[in-house]
Amino acid sequence: MHPLEGFPLSETLVLPRSFGTMYLGETFSAHLCLCNESPSVVRDISVQVVMQTSTQQLQLFSDSSKHLASGQPLNIQVAHEIKELGAHVLGCSVHYLSAQGERRVLQKSFKFQVANPLVVKTKVNHLGRDVLLEVQVHNATQGTMALERLRFEASSPFTAEDLNTAADGAALWDSSAGFMQAGDVRQYLYRLRTHIDPEQVTVDQERAVQYATALGKLDILWRGSFGSFGRLQTSQLLRKSPGMFLLEIESAEVLGKTAALEEPFVVRALVRNVSERRMAVSATVHAHTHPMVISCGAAQ
Amino acid sequence: MLPLNDRRLFQPTPLADALAALADQHGGRGRAAPDAREFAGRPHSYELLNQYAAGQQWRALALAAEATIQATPIQSASDEAAVLRLWTYRALALVRLAHAAAAARELQAVEAATRGTSVYARFRARAPTVVWPFELRVLRAQLPGLAHGDWRRTCERVCALLRACERRAGDANAQRRFRLQMLLAGAVLRLRDAALAAALLARLDAADDPRVLSACARLHLQLGSLPHAELLFRRVEARVPADDKLLLMNRAMYAVAAGKWAVARDLFARVASDPLGEPHVAAANNAAVCELFLGSPQRMLAQLQLLMADSPTAAGSAAELVFNYCTALDLLHDGPALLAEKSRKIADVATWAGDGFDTSAFKMQ
């Protein structure tokens, strides 16, 4: 016996032993077979296949005015991209006219649950005007998956820089990085920037950046057993906006190279009013925090 | 310390067979249980033992091996070696009868008994299994996984055998090493560590063998890594002729993973319909399965029925094919009609299958 003949993965395709678990973002496929097992023709058959979730009912297949001869089957294939969590019911109802001319109904249903395949957590840090976004992705399924694509699409006013590269520029998490086993966690890092020139930024632009809470969305594509794939897009990833002070100190400097003891020196500070109203501004040196500095008033 | 042929080393031989019982329930005729008295008290030739193994008559093999062991006097080191070889037949039969736990208990007792042998003393073996035949050591290594689902322990034992192989040179040893490496990859796969299994396959001594590359690629397909599978399949294509069956099977498997069922079916059918070669049961089965995904369970059922009728021993008694067939029956029939069809299939399979057939393939809830 060749050693490969005992290997768990053989060349023989075997149909699944059980339905397993359905995950959000995957495509539910079903084959329905309607067979006339009576000895006579069944007429006026109309078939409806629907998918019922907690929020809606979607028609997947509808056909009518069919006849089936004795022993004749009708094969129906339906597919539905799963977009909701929780209980789903695939319902099939068949209306037909029996050989005795009676209107009859046959109904069958198949119930299944949809679970979340990935758990996404984020952490936001601020670096000046930029945002560092850490994303943690956890494989919450019971199987192994190949994460084919994980892309962050930034929302205005941000653009995103992907920091998930090694020192030589190669992507850390490309397709050759292996699989995510059940329970595995991967971490990603993005730097979000605005393309506003800080020298020419207007108050309105500054306000738009500082008060923006929506950072962007993740677009994730994964593959499971024998190429089955799923796709999810997260809702907007949010941050707590840093907000703004009414006055922003844009710069502060001491004029001249040195400040001599017991001789006045000049401090110049550039203050911007980023609020929406006029303000009277005064500058004070607090004696208790700087007891060795005495304010002489505004420079001429 | 018991001698290697002592009857106290043996567990009761299981003579009930699930398929035979199922066939009897459903109007078929299951293979009758062998009469233990016909085997007891005398040795049986290796030719007969091999015949039982080839015919999958595992109950007969278990009884014959037991009787032969007990009937073999142990007067020399070569007698000890011969008896250990017979224990290989006995353990294999129990494993194939799905009584791996009984095999494990017996080999544990044999391990203890080996310490009292002259062969053991002569080689001053650190562990009793060192003096065992290679096949027996391989079986022993697999038993924790087969009997108790303890594949981690199986990995440890296989690694110990690998280390012993690596200390020796020669072609025979190279083949043993390859076999053990495949066993290790299989055990790791059963531990659900797909990444490690793929890495082990890539590091095999025979990693450039087209069959090994294909197995590794199938692993990647199974786990959803299509780009990596494609790379490996291309390496196979560089090593085999364009019309090689392995190449066609690989392309078909890739088409399945890509959801191109019609392409896959045609490729599998091409492999299966080769008039010059031996029947390619896997290809024929796979072509039939593609028909289901293309919308016709009827065609799938018909093709599987034809395949099993044409090759009753290879296909008609293959659990995977029977499972696929019964899945199609579940889709097409209901109630008494379904039961009647399955009863017919049980009777069919009982005619050809050996002992230890996995009856869960019939999906009789």
Side-chain angles (χ1 to χ4, degrees), chain B residues 230-250:
Chain B
E230 188 179 346
L231 282 172
L232 292 167
F233 282 142
R234 287 198 189 284
R235 280 172 63 185
V236 174
E237 300 216 344
R239 284 160 174 76
V240 301
D243 58 352
D244 191 279
K245 283 184 183 179
L246 181 63
L247 192 146
L248 294 174
M249 286 293 285
N250 288 344

Side-chain angles (χ1 to χ4, degrees), chain A residues 238-257:
Chain A
L238 301 174
R239 68 162 177 178
K240 192 175 166 187
S241 95
M244 292 168 71
F245 292 104
L246 295 172
L247 298 172
E248 295 271 335
I249 298 176
E250 294 206 350
S251 65
E253 58 182 341
V254 172
L255 296 184
K257 287 184 185 171

Side-chain angles (χ1 to χ4, degrees), chain B residues 208-221:
Chain B
D208 264 354
D209 182 324
R211 289 168 299 183
V212 174
L213 286 172
S214 299
C216 197
R218 281 200 302 278
L219 176 55
H220 282 274
L221 283 184

Side-chain angles (χ1 to χ4, degrees), chain B residues 192-213:
Chain B
R192 297 176 180 273
D193 195 336
L196 181 56
L200 285 172
L201 286 179
R203 287 169 53 190
L204 283 184
D205 293 344
D208 264 354
D209 182 324
R211 289 168 299 183
V212 174
L213 286 172

